[in-house]
Amino acid sequence: MPFAIVSGANRGLGLELVQQLLSRGWRVIAGCRKTQALRLTELAGAHPGRLHVMPLDVASERSIAAFVGEARIVTDQLDLLINNAGLLVSGEHFGQVNAKSMADSFAVNACGPLLLTQACAGLLQQASGARVANISSIMGSLASTDTFRTPSYAMSKAALNMVTRLLAAELSPQGITVASLHPGWVQTDMGGENATFGVEQAAIALIERILALDASDAGRFIASEDGRELAW
Ligand SMILES: NC(=O)c1ccc[n+]([C@@H]2O[C@H](COP(=O)([O-])OP(=O)(O)OC[C@H]3O[C@@H](n4cnc5c(N)ncnc54)[C@H](OP(=O)(O)O)[C@@H]3O)[C@@H](O)[C@H]2O)c1
C-alpha cells in the first residue's frame, strides 16, 4: 500500500487531498499544526490504520525534524510528498508591505517545502518512482505578473518554483520526480467563496495530475486543471 505525506492537512486543499488519497487506498500521514481537527479525526476513524495525524509546523526546523522522526516509526518508505501548506498575507498594498509578512511567507511557502523534502529524502529514496508535488500558484509566475498584488505570497511562490527546479536537479538522478503544480483558484479560506473551483473538484484534478507525474515532468510548472505548462 503506497504511503503519502500531506502538509497543511487540517483544512482546505490539504484536507481534501488526504481524503482523496485515502479513497484511492493510500496510507497517509497528515502533517498539520492543528492535529485535533475534527474532520481528520473522523477520517482516521473511517480508515482504521491508514491515516496518521502528526504535528507539523513547516516554518520550524525543529518541528520538521520531529515530524519526520515520527513518520519513520510508521513507515520506512515514502511514495509521495505533497508540500501543500501555504500562507497568503492578505491586504498588502504598495507603501505598507512589511518585512515580517515577507519573512513569514518565505518560511512557509518556500523554505518549508525545501526543508521538509530534504528531511524526507531518505524515505523517498526507499520507494520506487517517488514524487514530490509542490503546490505553487500562478501568482508566483514572473512572466504572468503585471500588477502589484500579494507581494509576499507572489515572491515566496516564485521562490518555491526555484525550490522545485533545485530539488528536481538533485533528486531526479535518484528516481524522485519533483514538480510545481498550480491548482487553479479554489474555494478555500485562502481562495474565498468566489473562486472558480470547488475544493473537492480541485483536489481530484490535483491528485490525478500528481499521480500521473513521471520522470519527464521533473522540474516542470503545471496547471492541474488541464496539464498545461505554465510560464515561470
Ligand atoms: N485556494 C486557492 O485558490 C489556491 C490557489 C493557488 C495555490 N494555492 C495553494 O494551495 C495550497 C493550499 O491552499 P488552501 O487554499 O487550502 O489554503 P488554506 O485554506 O488557507 O489552508 C492553508 C493550510 O496551510 C496550513 N499552514 C499554514 N502555515 C503552516 C505552517 N507553518 N505549518 C503547517 N501548516 C501550515 C494551514 O494550517 P493552519 O490551519 O494551522 O493555519 C492550512 O492547513 C497552498 O500552498 C496555496 O498557496 C491555493
Side-chain angles (χ1 to χ4, degrees):
M1 205 181 281
F3 230 111
I5 285 176
V6 180
S7 71
N10 57 302
R11 61 186 167 98
L13 266 173
L15 176 61
E16 192 61 38
L17 290 168
V18 170
Q19 191 158 336
Q20 291 300 325
L21 286 164
L22 289 170
S23 70
R24 285 165 170 74
W26 284 59
R27 290 184 71 185
V28 182
I29 299 173
C32 51
R33 295 185 292 191
K34 294 163 187 146
T35 53
Q36 304 306 316
L38 177 63
R39 192 71 196 109
L40 281 176
T41 308
E42 289 171 353
L43 281 174
H47 302 277
R50 288 209 285 126
L51 175 58
H52 308 266
V53 183
M54 299 180 185
L56 173 64
D57 178 347
V58 299
S60 159
E61 280 186 276
R62 183 179 296 193
S63 173
I64 289 172
F67 172 79
V68 176
E70 208 178 326
R72 284 183 175 283
I73 295 170
V74 297
T75 186
D76 53 13
Q77 71 166 62
L78 184 63
D79 301 274
L80 173 62
L81 167 61
I82 305 183
N83 283 308
N84 165 79
L87 172 66
L88 189 156
V89 177
S90 55
E92 288 184 317
H93 299 289
F94 182 71
Q96 50 80 272
V97 179
N98 65 69
K100 183 176 185 314
S101 294
M102 290 189 282
D104 288 350
S105 301
F106 268 81
V108 175
N109 296 342
C111 308
L114 189 149
L115 293 170
L116 182 58
T117 308
Q118 184 174 257
C120 288
L123 287 170
L124 291 162
Q125 283 157 6
Q126 294 307 310
S128 168
R131 303 173 183 111
V132 177
N134 291 330
I135 309 305
S136 184
S137 169
I138 193 68
M139 302 292 290
S141 165
L142 305 180
S144 305
T145 298
D146 53 11
T147 53
F148 193 92
R149 282 181 60 202
T150 57
S152 296
Y153 184 74
M155 290 159 64
S156 60
K157 289 293 189 181
L160 173 62
N161 286 342
M162 176 56 90
V163 167
T164 293
R165 297 291 298 181
L166 292 166
L167 290 175
E170 178 65 23
L171 298 177
S172 288
Q174 299 166 41
I176 302 166
T177 299
V178 186
S180 277
L181 294 107
H182 167 56
W185 186 22
V186 188
Q187 292 161 12
T188 60
D189 293 341
M190 184 185 290
E193 60 188 22
N194 295 325
T196 314
F197 300 110
V199 66
E200 183 181 5
Q201 181 188 9
I204 290 171
L206 204 44
I207 280 294
E208 287 176 355
R209 198 63 59 189
I210 289 169
L211 297 184
L213 290 174
D214 64 24
S216 68
D217 296 309
R220 291 182 64 206
F221 183 20
I222 302 165
S224 60
E225 178 192 357
D226 54 10
R228 73 186 184 281
E229 187 103 35
L230 296 169
W232 297 114

